[in-house]
Amino acid sequence: MSVNPKTISSDEPFFGHKACPGCGGALAVRLILKILGERAVAVLPAGCMSAVGFNFPQLCFGCNAAISTFAGTASMLAGIAAGFRAQGITDFKAVGFAGDGGTADIGIQALSGAIDRNDDILYVCYDNEAYMNTGVQKSSLTPYGAATTTTPAGKRLRGNLSEKKNMFEIVAAHGIGYAATASVGYLPDLLKKAEKAASIKGTRYLHVIAPCPSGWGIKTDETLDAAKEMVDCGLWYLAEYEHGAFTLNRDPKAFGSVRDYLKRQKRFAALTDEDIEFITKTRDAKWKFIRENFRRAG
Amino acid sequence: MAKRFLSGNEAFAEGVRLARPQVISAYPITPQTTCVEALASMVESGALEAEYLHVESEHSALSAAIGASMAGARAFTATSSQGLLYMAECLVYASGGLYPIVMMNACRSTALPWNIYCDQRDSLLLADSGWIQAYAASAQEALDLALMSFAIAESPEVATPFMVCLDGFTLTHTYESVEVPESAQADAFLPPYKTENRFDFENPKNLAFSAGPETNYLFKHQEQQGMLNALKAVPQTEARFAQIFGRAYPGLTEGYLLEGAEYVLITLGTVTGIAQKTASDLRAEGFAAGVLRLRYFRPFPSQEIAKALRQVKAAAVIERDVSFGATGAVHQSVCAALQQQGITTRVSCVIAGLGGADISEDDLRGVFADLAAGRHETRFAGIRERRDER
């Protein structure tokens, strides 16, 4: 039953858009919409995917879709779900695709409200770790040490000094029906989770790491590699939250090199050995917590 | 048709019930609350079948209503003051997308200083947001506007969201005897919402898109046309309403003692009552006073105003608003309408009733006296008197 590259739909629900080459966000949106199928109703707030996909008269979604206000992804989805329900329409898949800023910053209030009401929506955060559409500004999901245009790396400050907000566990703390982390570097895992999320009623949340080559300072053919490497070096993890419990889907015996992951990206160019040591220690503390509190898959 | 003793908010909620909205999204704020509480009770009792969304902010209240409208449902929300300002972004979104949502606004002052009482600085600040704005002056009119607002907003040639403004406390919390129509009458007046401006699974649509410099003005022109079409839709809808319910309304403005009037007060909302009483008393004393009430502020009834003020010697707007550094929103619109039509009647601006301040018959007699004496400067009611006291 599980979707794989051979069985996934050949319909293209998101095409003709002007996303940059190597865009991780566009890939995540396209693949998840393929899984949701033609009953999908997609809502995208102000951000990269709405900027590249909705330029009248070049409208790029094959399914029903709309741009929402920046803060209003989840609330507009809630209204859509209520509007259909009120008309007796039940076979629809309301899905939101918001970036890291649209989710963890300006959209977190509406998302929290939707989870609280258990609105029948799937909320996907495509996380490229900064406001990329407006030219790479820091969001609360920008990692420690990343240079952005609003957290420039210089002699005095070396980029962003706050750590990535823990959206997955914040969402889980609401007691949501299903939440998961994923990465476009592990596509089979992402597809499986999207398929599972699609089959569940109530509010669901997918947090997908989706690199942005221009914002991260990598080549356009390195998107999937960087997304995979982030998981392999332990700076991201693949997990699920369901029935009140966390499950770790991938527990690497040994981590890949944090230094190699960081140093291939221009945004981390200014990091010193001490910075890398700090990031590594933070990773280790996180994994200690995960291994003590998350179940292992299978 | 049953007579009931209802507050403005309760009467409005009865009107909303009769309009059968399919989605209600609401967030509480004084003095709107008793309206959405009444609607929640109706949903609980089964008197109203609607999805009631308990949203976590006013921004989400209107954002959800837009989503519901995109899904093809009739949607309602209500707010006031800071709440209206907090959802401001969604107001232009709803009007730009041509979603005929109805919203009740309990007109209330805006902070700072904090104040929960009536003025119209909240709704007038958003007069340019592309929403039809009507101002009720009685609980009965509030109920009737609840029904008519959906009919006008949803008429395909209008397709514009509709804000019904009830003066906070003065109207929202004041009890009156109100005729509540039967459901069958309301259903005959207002059929279920049908639109093509919605998601469609047979023929999927991309809504709420971007439009660059090449096409943007075409969409804005379309929006302006819809709003202007309401100038006709309002009297047409009122005529149909009168046929079914037996209550007639006078269109976008309501004249009082305008026949032969030399001096006229221009009002918006509940201050009309005391203005009419003052004019009536002055008439008995031989002073040719009249009142022109604006029932609608958007679309702006320029023609009606020009017609009413063409022959008068002078007029004054009783303005529950301040456009700081200028005069007030109503005054500026009235002056623009007259100027456009070549009418030179002098119109002054009296800023009064801010933050729930009482406007008395004495205040209004003073305004008429100023007009007769040729005093036209913009002033805050109460300020000159205090200066005189020193």
Side-chain angles (χ1 to χ4, degrees):
Chain A
M1 183 58 200
S2 201
V3 169
N4 61 46
K6 280 182 187 161
T7 59
I8 197 164
S9 168
S10 59
D11 288 348
E12 288 301 343
F14 182 42
F15 65 99
H17 54 75
K18 53 172 193 171
C20 311
C23 175
L27 177 64
V29 169
R30 173 172 158 252
L31 292 178
I32 292 169
L33 282 177
K34 277 175 178 262
I35 284 171
L36 296 179
E38 60 188 18
R39 303 295 289 186
V41 180
V43 168
L44 301 97
C48 289
M49 288 308 107
S50 59
V52 304
F54 279 100
N55 294 289
F56 179 82
Q58 194 176 344
L59 303 172
C60 303
F61 286 85
C63 59
N64 286 303
I67 308 180
S68 73
T69 58
F70 208 172
T73 313
S75 50
M76 183 176 276
L77 282 168
I80 290 168
F84 283 137
R85 214 157 51 228
Q87 298 171 83
I89 301 166
T90 52
D91 58 336
F92 64 89
K93 305 275 185 204
V95 59
F97 295 99
D100 41 288
T103 300
D105 291 342
I106 196 169
I108 195 170
Q109 175 175 309
L111 172 60
S112 177
I115 304 170
D116 172 53
R117 291 184 300 270
N118 199 25
D119 290 320
D120 188 21
I121 65 173
L122 168 59
Y123 190 107
V124 179
C125 172
Y126 64 94
D127 180 3
N128 52 28
E129 304 201 307
Y131 290 90
M132 298 309 186
N133 183 45
T134 41
V136 197
Q137 294 84 25
K138 172 207 155 43
S139 79
S140 60
L141 292 180
T142 301
Y144 177 86
T148 71
T149 53
T150 50
T151 55
K155 282 187 184 133
R156 205 171 69 77
L157 300 176
R158 287 185 297 280
N160 176 42
L161 299 181
S162 58
E163 289 172 52
K164 195 174 172 74
K165 192 187 274 186
N166 195 339
M167 267 312 290
F168 172 56
E169 285 172 50
I170 290 169
V171 164
H174 288 72
I176 193 171
Y178 180 73
T181 61
S183 163
V184 295
Y186 281 89
L187 285 175
D189 175 77
L190 167 62
L191 297 181
K192 205 168 104 186
K193 286 169 175 171
E195 201 178 14
K196 186 169 178 181
S199 71
I200 296 170
K201 285 276 170 196
T203 313
R204 295 137 283 151
Y205 179 81
L206 275 183
H207 193 120
V208 185
I209 291 295
C212 165
S214 46
W216 288 24
I218 55 175
K219 293 196 188 103
T220 55
D221 61 359
E222 291 179 336
T223 303
L224 300 191
D225 288 348
K228 181 173 185 298
E229 217 177 319
M230 186 175 170
V231 175
D232 293 345
C233 77
L235 291 180
W236 189 243
Y237 54 95
L238 305 180
E240 289 171 294
Y241 174 86
E242 218 179 348
H243 310 302
F246 291 98
T247 304
L248 182 63
N249 305 115
R250 192 172 178 284
D251 189 6
K253 287 203 172 63
F255 291 124
S257 162
V258 166
R259 176 179 295 273
D260 290 352
Y261 168 74
L262 296 172
K263 283 298 179 186
R264 76 185 288 174
Q265 302 177 34
K266 282 203 189 81
R267 61 177 175 159
F268 293 117
L271 292 189
T272 61
D273 290 346
E274 292 78 47
D275 293 325
I276 293 170
E277 196 186 328
F278 172 79
I279 292 169
T280 307
K281 277 187 178 160
T282 308
R283 175 202 68 184
D284 291 344
K286 179 71 194 175
W287 277 90
K288 184 168 182 291
F289 175 85
I290 289 174
R291 285 172 171 143
E292 283 169 7
N293 293 283
F294 288 22
R295 296 190 301 220
R296 306 300 142 81
Chain B
M1 210 176 288
K3 279 234 171 201
R4 291 175 59 192
F5 195 55
L6 299 173
S7 71
N9 271 344
E10 289 166 357
F12 196 87
E14 291 295 332
V16 172
R17 173 181 62 78
L18 291 166
R20 300 189 190 277
Q22 292 156 298
V23 175
I24 296 170
S25 53
Y27 186 81
I29 181 168
T30 304
Q32 153 262 38
T33 0
T34 53
C35 173
V36 296
E37 286 171 351
L39 289 167
S41 296
M42 291 168 185
V43 171
E44 189 280 325
S45 72
L48 170 60
E49 266 187 50
E51 294 284 336
Y52 194 110
L53 281 176
H54 305 91
V55 287
E56 79 301 323
S57 77
E58 287 93 353
H59 189 284
S60 285
L62 190 48
S63 172
I66 294 168
S69 193
M70 285 174 167
R74 178 174 289 162
F76 173 77
T77 186
T79 189
S80 178
S81 183
Q82 308 298 122
L84 182 69
L85 304 192
Y86 190 48
M87 63 165 64
E89 174 193 20
C90 299
L91 265 80
V92 292
Y93 218 84
S95 53
L98 315 181
Y99 299 111
I101 296 156
V102 169
M103 170 159 64
M104 190 200 88
N105 184 63
C107 290
R108 167 185 146 177
S109 190
T110 56
L112 285 171
W114 282 97
N115 180 298
I116 58 168
Y117 301 105
C118 176
D119 60 39
Q120 294 160 342
R121 294 178 43 234
D122 55 354
S123 52
L124 289 175
L125 188 54
L126 288 159
D128 291 341
S129 62
W131 285 56
I132 297 169
Q133 283 197 353
Y135 289 75
S138 72
Q140 183 71 62
E141 190 181 20
L143 186 153
D144 294 345
L145 272 171
L147 268 170
M148 280 190 277
S149 58
F150 284 102
I152 294 163
E154 292 172 4
S155 63
E157 70 279 9
V158 175
T160 301
F162 198 127
M163 186 192 305
V164 186
C165 299
L166 275 65
D167 283 348
F169 291 107
T170 326
L171 180 52
T172 58
H173 286 62
T174 302
Y175 280 75
E176 294 172 38
S177 177
V178 176
E179 283 196 4
V180 180
E182 300 298 329
S183 288
Q185 286 177 298
D187 292 344
F189 174 74
L190 184 67
Y193 178 46
K194 287 231 162 12
T195 180
E196 308 226 317
N197 185 21
R198 57 169 293 173
F199 294 129
D200 179 355
F201 289 108
E202 299 301 311
N203 179 25
K205 284 189 187 163
N206 289 192
L207 302 174
F209 43 72
S210 304
E214 308 80 14
T215 55
N216 196 279
Y217 69 100
L218 297 172
F219 291 101
K220 291 294 137 188
H221 181 254
Q222 180 186 23
E223 200 180 327
Q224 167 82 327
Q225 286 309 117
M227 178 66 95
L228 292 175
N229 288 341
L231 290 169
K232 277 190 186 153
V234 168
Q236 284 167 357
T237 305
E238 287 175 354
R240 214 158 51 74
F241 187 89
Q243 275 177 358
I244 293 175
F245 301 99
R247 270 190 303 283
Y249 284 95
L252 288 94
T253 62
E254 179 191 33
Y256 181 78
L257 300 179
L258 287 180
E259 188 73 36
E262 295 180 343
Y263 302 101
V264 170
L265 297 187
I266 298 160
T267 61
L268 188 70
T270 53
V271 73
T272 308
I274 190 66
Q276 291 181 345
K277 165 80 164 51
T278 307
S280 169
D281 290 350
L282 285 171
R283 281 285 177 135
E285 297 164 19
F287 183 91
V291 177
L292 176 66
R293 172 190 164 213
L294 310 187
R295 295 185 63 240
Y296 283 77
F297 188 68
R298 288 291 182 269
F300 195 67
S302 299
Q303 302 287 342
E304 289 87 339
I305 291 168
K307 198 170 155 227
L309 299 184
R310 194 180 295 275
Q311 305 291 345
V312 310
K313 288 183 175 165
V317 172
I318 305 303
E319 184 90 64
R320 303 192 84 160
D321 175 56
V322 197
S323 183
F324 297 100
T327 58
V330 180
H331 179 252
Q332 290 171 42
S333 284
V334 168
C335 290
L338 294 183
Q339 198 277 341
Q340 246 182 338
Q341 293 172 79
I343 294 166
T344 54
T345 303
R346 193 86 184 254
V347 180
S348 51
C349 180
V350 179
I351 294 158
L354 297 184
D358 191 33
I359 300 171
S360 68
E361 178 158 349
D362 275 353
D363 293 332
L364 299 181
R365 279 175 174 266
V367 175
F368 276 117
D370 280 351
L371 291 182
R375 289 194 290 266
H376 298 295
E377 73 277 15
T378 299
R379 67 180 178 91
F380 275 60
I383 298 284
R384 187 180 60 191
E385 288 80 350
R386 281 187 195 166
R387 193 180 293 145
D388 291 346
E389 278 165 19
R390 277 208 300 266

